[in-house]
């Protein structure tokens, strides 16, 4: 797993605990964190609330159902207008 900070900088976090990754994100003052982890193996990082705004995108077309995910970034293919209200 790699996390991007700002202008193309990546930090390798493999082997790092969820708490350490959350602290790193917070110290970097990441305001918007976008989760693209398809398998949701490290969703617990977002549960620690390291960023002010946390979104899910690209990896999974549905909602995670997690209260700590503020937004789902979707399009009309993932959520056609006739079912879009199901996502709120």
């Amino acid at each position: 797993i790699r996390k991007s900070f700002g202008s193309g900088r990546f930090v390798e976090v493999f082997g790092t605990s969820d708490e350490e990754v959350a602290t790193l994100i917070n110290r970097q003052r990441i305001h918007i964190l976008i989760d693209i982890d398809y398998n949701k193996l490290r969703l617990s990082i977002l549960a620690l609330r390291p960023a002010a705004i946390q979104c899910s995108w690209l990896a999974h077309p549905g909602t995670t159902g997690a209260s700590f995910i503020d937004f789902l970034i979707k399009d009309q293919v993932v959520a056609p207008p006739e079912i879009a209200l199901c996502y709120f």
Side-chain angles (χ1 to χ4, degrees), residues 12-21 24 42 45:
E12 181 63 54
V13 296
F14 179 79
T16 307
S17 75
D18 292 350
E19 292 80 9
E20 290 172 311
V21 175
L24 178 63
R42 309 264 333 240
I45 294 170

Side-chain angles (χ1 to χ4, degrees), residues 6-83:
S7 59
R9 183 172 151 232
F10 287 91
V11 176
E12 181 63 54
V13 296
F14 179 79
T16 307
S17 75
D18 292 350
E19 292 80 9
E20 290 172 311
V21 175
T23 299
L24 178 63
I25 292 167
N26 188 268
R27 284 187 182 154
Q28 293 292 320
R29 298 183 179 263
I30 304 298
H31 300 289
I32 301 172
L33 184 61
I34 301 174
D35 174 40
I36 60 169
D37 178 16
Y38 179 78
N39 295 313
K40 303 298 179 215
L41 297 175
R42 309 264 333 240
L43 194 60
S44 53
I45 294 170
L46 279 75
L48 297 169
R49 205 68 204 185
I53 298 172
Q54 301 185 148
C55 309
S56 181
W57 176 60
L58 190 62
H60 193 271
T63 176
T64 63
S67 61
F68 48 83
I69 302 292
D70 303 306
F71 298 98
L72 169 64
I73 301 170
K74 59 190 179 342
D75 60 17
Q76 290 185 356
V77 173
V78 171
E82 61 271 12
I83 66 163

